Amino acid sequence: MSTAWTIARTTVGDAFRKKIIKAFFIAALVLILISLLFSYFSPREELTIIKSFSFAVIFIFGILITIIMSISLIPGEIDSRTIYTVLSKPVRKWEYIVGKFAGAVLTILISLLIMGFVFAAIVYSKSGAFEVALFKGVFSVFLSLLVLCSISICLSVIVSPFLNFLLTFFILGVGGLSDTIYEISVSTENALIRLILNVVQMIIPNFGFFHVQNKLIHPEAPVAADFVEWAYFVKITLYALVYVVVLMLGAVYVFEKREV
Amino acid sequence: MTGPRRTWLLIALVLFVGQALLERDIAPERAKVVPSQLTMGGPGFGISHGVIWTAMAGFREVIASLLWVKADSYFHRGMYQEIVPLCRIITWLDPHQIDVYATGYWHMGWNFVDSAERSDRRYLPESLDFLKAGVKNNWTIYDLYHEAAFTYLDDKTRKYDQVAQWARAAREQGSLRAYQHMIAHALEHEGKIEECIAWWKKLLAETDEHLAKTPDDRAMQDRRHTITRNLDLTIWRMYDREDLARRRLDAEWTVNYERLGKKKFRVYGTTKIPETARLWLSFRDADYVENLNTKSFPWRLKNASILEYGMFVLDRDMEWAVPRGMTIDDYYKARYRAPGYLGAFDETFDLGADPKFYPLKCEKGYLLTVSFNPRSAPIPLQDRLGWSGEGLDDANYLVELDPPGAVPLRVLSCLFVLDKDLNLVEKRPRGDPWAAMPGLEYDLIEYETTSGKGPNEVVGRKIID
């Protein structure tokens, strides 16, 4: 495991050295700070706009950082032949995959934490209260990016980077419509459509489960209280981890068989 | 396939089945809070959530916020009409944007006027419907209850029996202390004076209890002063107005209708009621209430005509000037006690100037009601006429109303039945007295005080029998 950890640390360093990742990260921080411009609204409106805008920025740029980083993590090293140097050492292929994945996750986590603290600081400057609950929203974004990262890395050992990019976004899009798909599946009378939608729901991760920001944006709203309670977070964390494990097992399986 | 790989495959398969089971547990919980389960408010907005969610899975709140920023820019540019559909979309995306409900309903109900700067009443039912949708989606937040109470108190609807209910609901949800004075004012407007006094005393007791713990609270001291003053004044007025029934003022009201053109008419008359009284004119399609209950808002916007306007009673010379150094109270006493005093009102309405506001397409004709309700009269006037018209009399136009569960009321009313070309068909003194208590045609609401529930609706009631 120390080998995987070493690879992870190296991956984090490499990721933050990449210009595009730095650019996305800085852009995200700037956009979060831009939400301060909406100061001409009433205090409640202002906070609503800041929170909804910041959550969206964290999510969007988190997706961009995750996908751009993940699709080239392994194929990039294969193309540049640096992977041979790594694998010529006593590094098992599964350690390599796990290490790369762990490095990507750490990169995402560090990025989200920094964005989250900036976000919380802005909210504090407006409301006078440091809302720890906002980090629940950041954590739910992290979970969705965790799943996304595992999808991307799994696909990266199977298909080309371009196809990986398209497929990952496709899965993200369909997975984000999970609530709508569920609604249609329970309301339709067509058995075939219901079957197809159920299969789609079971296979594709439901990213809608990680959308909890409404209650955090409107803490006084009388609905959706359950979705920021720890019991719900335990469930969705478990859900995310299952996908991660399944996809990483798949990635390791394919990579083990593959001639590099 | 080697041993370890087979094991991995098996583990992956088991976990995959496990997540499917976990998913079936989580998905129904989420279905309880997707916005389609919450009311969107109002008819005629039947776009499926699936359409918008397809475009914005996961980004409802930020889209709603950015649309609100856009709506704000429309407001500052004077593009009020464009704000209305935006408010609907925003609250449909995110039903918990309180300020959007509060501002949107206000735009619809207050900010649209015709070329003569008369309020556009066409949006009022939708405005209230939008506000109530906000209450239903955010029933634990007092703000919108308070807005509803204010709306019904305002001259726009003058539905005083609803005010106390909504203000009480706001109190139950923890409204600011100052807002709770509205309950007492509402009870006074309903003519329930003893209940009003009891409520002021209750608020006084709560304030004293608070001051006993925090005697240096300046805001609470000011509040106590306000409550004490209002309580004393109400009690004083109650005794001062006790004998009004024995010395009624004969309004000697005359009211006339004159058709001036294809879409133009004049309403004029005289009365002994003192100046600053407002006579409420209501002009609407003969089937307006029926269409309110059966036709969609877009249809009504194009085809229904309604005008409501408060005409001021002025001096016969149509001038209004309180002499320097005289209070309004003294002016009243000098004016309406002076021999030969006669107030007058005279208004011309050119509906042809705003064909979009007043399409005048009703084949069944129109109903024009002119009425006077002492409950909406200013205090100096009520000192003479009473809260419920106890001091009011008239040989031809007086009607005694006895609404269920409310204090009896004496109003003046006259109905003019017009044909589709605005020609006078019939003048009915005392006709359409319920027009003196407007708002009944918009909706009736029964509020349930059970916690966790919002108001129920009883929509619509005919006011013309």
Side-chain angles (χ1 to χ4, degrees), chain A residues 40 44-45 52 176-177 179-180 183 201-202 206 208 211 213-214 218 220 223 232 235 239 245 253, chain B residues 1 15 19 23-25 29-30 33 36 53 57-59 61 65 68 72 94 96 98-99 140-141 143:
Chain A
Y40 49 88
R44 180 167 52 195
E45 284 170 308
S52 58
L177 296 172
D179 292 338
T180 307
E183 266 184 77
Q201 267 205 300
M202 279 186 205
N206 288 342
H211 296 154
Q213 58 268 34
N214 193 278
H218 307 291
E220 72 280 6
V223 292
Y232 182 76
K235 279 187 194 174
Y239 183 77
V245 170
Y253 178 77
Chain B
M1 200 185 287
L15 284 171
Q19 71 79 22
E23 173 147 352
R24 300 320 266 172
D25 181 43
E29 288 183 47
R30 289 204 63 85
V33 295
S36 63
W53 279 46
F59 298 101
E61 292 83 6
S65 293
W68 185 234
D72 185 72
D94 187 359
H96 304 302
I98 306 291
D99 297 292
T140 58
I141 301 168
D143 304 49

Side-chain angles (χ1 to χ4, degrees), chain B residues 257-266 421-423:
Chain B
Y257 169 86
E258 182 186 353
R259 182 181 184 276
L260 298 177
K262 195 176 170 197
K263 294 184 178 182
K264 195 171 174 182
F265 60 88
R266 176 187 170 215
D421 296 318
L422 300 188
N423 295 308

